[in-house]
Amino acid sequence: MKTDLFHNPQRFGDMQTWRQDVLALHRAGPIHRIEPEGFRPFWAVIGHPELLEVERDPKRYTNGPVPVLASDIALKTRTEQGGEIRTLIHMDAPDHLKYRRLTNDWFRPSSIRQMQPRIDELSQQAVTKFEQAGGELDFNIDIAIPYPLHIILSVMGLPEEDYPRMLQLTQQLFGASDPDLQREGTSPEETAAIIHDFNRYFSELTAQRRQCPSDDLASFIANGQIDGQTMPDLETLGYYIIIATAGHDTTAAAMSQGIECLAQNPDQLRQLQQQPELIPDAVEEIIRISSPVKHFMRKAQEDGEIGGQQIAQGDWLMISFAAANLDPRVFKNPLAFDFTRENLSRHVAFGSGVHFCLGAPLARMELCSLFSHLIPRLASLELAGEPTTSKSTFVSGHKSLPVRYQLT
Ligand code: HEM
């Protein structure tokens, strides 16, 4: 099929059109063979039940060796120039479970509950920023980007002066195809260089935390044992990278999308002010609509069948969380922002199965806290300019979201 919806980063710069086009594609079927120039052909799995079918069978559909869509040139450059990376998302059984067990308990709802006061404090600071800005600010830049970054890096125990560097590296890694987020003169070599940068930073951190361990997550990873041995360097680095990066651009994208939805739907803002107990439902709907992680890839290890299509051993499949969250067979009127829909929790924005997002409880907690602090104070909220969106096929969301508001 000829569509550039999944591999052309430019398409993610206009999500309204992207969503409409995906909805049209749903009418043509739940899975489509895409053969783009410069990429290995792949199946785009866009149907909600079909995506879950792939996720439920991690033995047949593995994450390794390449879990994110990359062009032929990018793959070649990465192989030739190093920049190798191995995180939880690159792993399959039996390693995946061993490595995931290491930090699973850290991110359980019962463990992160102790972070609630810190999270509420940051939400209160966000309200204070609204008060100080005096009626207009860029929600994405001023609030959404710094907030989750602050949380995840403080859980890791990194010093605050390093936060800007982490932010820049993450945005470059996730938004490698967006010209505004790239370094100057960037090319596929740059992605490898970004990974080298992370490598340098975290190698120093590991050495330091092995020498003087504290009770932070960075020390826990540095001293983590797999099969009774210290974790190898590649996997230690991969652990830092996934925790440090997966936790903030994603949550920031959902926060900004939520504010845009509320600015465009003042009746729903009023409803949440009258019924704040619905804020957790609104958060689920915001996560569904924003689907900050657009896809991951899987590789078929055996012949099989998905959505009536024959999948051959060795085929590459894209599981598109963002598209499956618009499946009209599951979500009635899927383009509408409607937190009263019956099946809010069926969204797949956090994935499913063995790789289900480790940070989902933390992300939900941050979003609920921010909206619970902000929503009661918003006497009015509207867009103060055209929002812009990052052009990435992998993790994308707003780059800027200017808003005008009055507070009570
Ligand atoms: C709204 C925010 C977030 C969204 C939409 C999101 C989405 C996702 C998705 C779709 C996956 C892959 C699931 C699959 O393959 O089935 C994932 C994995 C992961 N996420 Fe998140 N995430 C978010 C926030 C976070 C946060 C706050 C953290 C904090 C540490 C985090 C850490 C991870 C990790 C470590 C994995 C890999 C899990 C594995 O492979 O076992 N994420 N996330």
Side-chain angles (χ1 to χ4, degrees), residues 181-201:
L181 300 176
Q182 289 169 351
R183 300 161 188 221
E184 255 177 84
T186 194
S187 62
E189 284 88 357
E190 281 298 290
T191 307
I194 296 163
I195 294 169
H196 281 303
D197 258 13
F198 269 113
N199 204 346
R200 207 171 314 123
Y201 180 87

Side-chain angles (χ1 to χ4, degrees), residues 55 63 88-90 96 100 107 152 242-243 246-248 250-251 254 287 291-293 296 298 319 321 348-360 362-363 366-367:
E55 290 262 53
N63 281 36
L88 282 180
I89 213 77
H90 294 74
H96 175 256
R100 175 130 180 171
F107 289 94
I152 198 66
I242 194 148
I243 303 277
H248 60 89
T250 47
T251 315
I287 294 170
S291 287
V293 178
F296 273 114
R298 300 291 191 256
I319 45 173
F321 308 105
V348 287
F350 290 122
S352 178
V354 294
H355 288 278
F356 182 78
C357 176
L358 183 66
L362 179 60
E366 291 178 48
L367 284 153

Side-chain angles (χ1 to χ4, degrees), residues 38 144 263 318 337 376:
M318 167 183 281
F337 173 62

Side-chain angles (χ1 to χ4, degrees), residues 203-396:
S203 299
E204 283 166 25
L205 185 76
T206 306
Q208 199 274 333
R209 292 299 202 275
R210 281 185 183 156
Q211 217 170 22
C212 311
S214 63
D215 62 356
D216 58 26
L217 186 54
S219 300
F220 198 73
I221 294 172
N223 296 290
Q225 300 239 321
I226 299 289
D227 294 335
Q229 307 280 327
T230 305
M231 253 196 287
D233 288 349
L234 184 66
E235 283 76 7
T236 309
L237 170 71
Y239 230 121
Y240 288 130
I241 290 188
I242 194 148
I243 303 277
T245 56
H248 60 89
D249 262 23
T250 47
T251 315
M255 285 176 173
S256 270
Q257 181 66 63
I259 286 294
E260 188 180 18
C261 287
L262 294 174
Q264 289 169 335
N265 297 278
D267 291 349
Q268 304 206 36
L269 174 59
R270 295 289 154 259
Q271 190 181 355
L272 291 174
Q273 288 171 332
Q274 283 153 14
Q275 295 174 276
E277 67 279 9
L278 294 182
I279 288 177
D281 290 352
V283 163
E284 290 310 311
E285 181 67 345
I286 286 165
I287 294 170
R288 178 187 74 85
I289 293 262
S290 57
S291 287
V293 178
K294 302 297 182 262
H295 82 270
F296 273 114
M297 304 301 289
R298 300 291 191 256
K299 185 178 176 181
Q301 296 299 330
E302 298 165 23
D303 293 350
E305 195 229 286
I306 296 284
Q309 297 285 356
Q310 295 306 313
I311 309 295
Q313 181 186 17
D315 278 0
W316 218 18
L317 292 90
M318 167 183 281
I319 45 173
S320 173
F321 308 105
N325 277 337
L326 301 176
D327 188 337
R329 294 172 299 169
V330 176
F331 301 105
K332 219 167 98 192
N333 198 3
L335 302 190
F337 173 62
D338 175 9
F339 52 79
T340 62
R341 61 174 79 245
E342 278 167 10
N343 55 1
L344 286 168
S345 59
R346 284 187 66 195
H347 73 75
V348 287
F350 290 122
S352 178
V354 294
H355 288 278
F356 182 78
C357 176
L358 183 66
L362 179 60
R364 286 183 163 123
M365 197 185 216
E366 291 178 48
L367 284 153
C368 282
S369 171
L370 179 69
F371 288 117
S372 300
H373 281 78
L374 202 51
I375 284 174
R377 297 292 313 278
L378 288 170
S380 71
L381 177 70
E382 58 181 1
L383 296 185
E386 201 50 44
T388 57
T389 306
S390 59
K391 301 178 186 78
S392 165
T393 57
F394 176 35
V395 174
S396 69

